Amino acid sequence: MPTKFHQHSETTKREILLAAAKLFSQKGYQSVTIREIAKKAGCSHTTLYIYFKDKEALLHALSEPPLLALKQQMEEVLLPGNVQSEQKLHSICMLFVRFCLKHRSMHRIFFETKSVRVDEPQPELEINKLRIDIFQLLKLALKDCLPPTIEDSALLSCSRIFSYMLRGIIGTYMDSEEPLDVLMERLTPTFNEAFDVLLVGFILKLRSE
């Protein structure tokens, strides 16, 4: 059985993470100090350093579990099967949209804080490796829907544009008070139509070049 010390340690760690998440979402990662996080968590900054060596460690601890779960869900969608490529792309996109709207207060922290280019070959932070992996899964789903002769540079450009559209959808409903499930049920047909229109546009443009 866990000892009282272990239970206290886990409680302290959890309170630190909750405090960091709240402050990062309210004030932005760059504006928050370790001392502020410790104060909100009800501990000293020296105690905080026992669990997390710096703010980057907090960022990673907050972001890795949900991003890893999203990555695994997207990988499952792309497993070989009888589902058409367009359906897989729709599923990948809807997973991403739902994830970001579910984590409305934290999605910028998850995807934008200390981020690098999506084509960065060797990112230093583990969180950026995860972010790039997620982008690569979107890119792979999109590639299967486009002409097989598409060049890598064109595929990267199309994937970025598709990502911009997804971020636009998310930004539009970021402050919505509508429950997530209700919002998704109401707007999924519109989202899917947007995916199709953009995809058709890509195909027509590529074939005309």
Side-chain angles (χ1 to χ4, degrees), residues 81-136:
N82 297 324
V83 179
Q84 293 183 345
S85 297
E86 290 80 3
Q87 290 176 295
K88 289 185 177 182
L89 178 61
H90 281 211
S91 295
I92 289 287
C93 291
M94 295 306 295
L95 278 173
F96 185 81
V97 170
R98 173 176 279 275
F99 175 87
C100 290
L101 291 179
K102 179 181 178 181
H103 300 282
R104 299 180 199 199
S105 65
M106 289 293 291
H107 92 283
R108 292 190 183 279
I109 303 298
F110 290 161
F111 288 104
E112 297 176 14
T113 299
K114 300 187 76 68
S115 63
V116 295
R117 291 170 48 157
V118 293
D119 57 348
E120 176 65 42
Q122 294 181 322
E124 293 183 9
L125 295 182
E126 287 297 322
I127 186 178
N128 281 326
K129 293 177 185 178
L130 260 177
R131 291 163 170 167
I132 292 172
D133 285 347
I134 288 170
F135 178 82
Q136 290 297 328

Side-chain angles (χ1 to χ4, degrees), residues 3-201:
T3 64
K4 288 184 178 180
F5 175 80
H6 178 73
Q7 291 174 336
H8 176 74
S9 178
E10 288 301 307
T11 298
T12 301
K13 186 176 180 179
R14 184 169 58 252
E15 290 300 319
I16 291 170
L17 286 172
L18 289 171
K22 189 162 188 177
L23 288 170
F24 288 165
S25 65
Q26 289 176 341
K27 302 177 63 174
Y29 176 85
Q30 298 295 344
S31 300
V32 177
T33 68
I34 287 291
R35 287 182 180 273
E36 285 180 289
I37 296 170
K39 181 179 179 180
K40 190 166 188 64
C43 66
S44 67
H45 68 282
T46 53
T47 297
L48 187 151
Y49 282 124
I50 294 173
Y51 301 95
F52 304 99
K53 67 176 183 178
D54 52 27
K55 278 206 303 181
E56 280 188 7
L58 281 164
L59 173 65
H60 184 75
L62 286 168
S63 304
E64 181 184 30
L67 289 180
L68 187 57
L70 174 62
K71 177 188 171 185
Q72 291 170 343
Q73 288 178 317
M74 294 172 79
E75 287 172 338
E76 289 175 8
V77 168
L78 294 180
L79 289 173
N82 297 324
V83 179
Q84 293 183 345
S85 297
E86 290 80 3
Q87 290 176 295
K88 289 185 177 182
L89 178 61
H90 281 211
S91 295
I92 289 287
C93 291
M94 295 306 295
L95 278 173
F96 185 81
V97 170
R98 173 176 279 275
F99 175 87
C100 290
L101 291 179
K102 179 181 178 181
H103 300 282
R104 299 180 199 199
S105 65
M106 289 293 291
H107 92 283
R108 292 190 183 279
I109 303 298
F110 290 161
F111 288 104
E112 297 176 14
T113 299
K114 300 187 76 68
S115 63
V116 295
R117 291 170 48 157
V118 293
D119 57 348
E120 176 65 42
Q122 294 181 322
E124 293 183 9
L125 295 182
E126 287 297 322
I127 186 178
N128 281 326
K129 293 177 185 178
L130 260 177
R131 291 163 170 167
I132 292 172
D133 285 347
I134 288 170
F135 178 82
Q136 290 297 328
L137 290 170
L138 170 64
K139 183 179 170 184
L140 182 60
L142 183 59
K143 180 181 180 181
D144 288 343
C145 299
L146 296 174
T149 55
I150 187 171
E151 296 182 357
D152 289 344
S153 59
L155 177 59
L156 176 60
S157 178
C158 289
S159 301
R160 279 181 163 144
I161 293 168
F162 221 99
S163 178
Y164 299 156
M165 178 191 64
L166 294 177
R167 295 296 183 90
I169 289 172
I170 293 157
T172 299
Y173 298 100
M174 190 51 53
D175 295 324
S176 172
E177 296 182 359
E178 194 170 3
L180 177 59
D181 288 340
V182 175
L183 187 151
M184 294 300 292
E185 182 178 359
R186 180 172 67 84
L187 290 171
T188 288
T190 303
F191 295 161
N192 283 329
E193 187 173 0
F195 305 154
D196 285 339
V197 169
L198 189 55
L199 181 59
V200 169

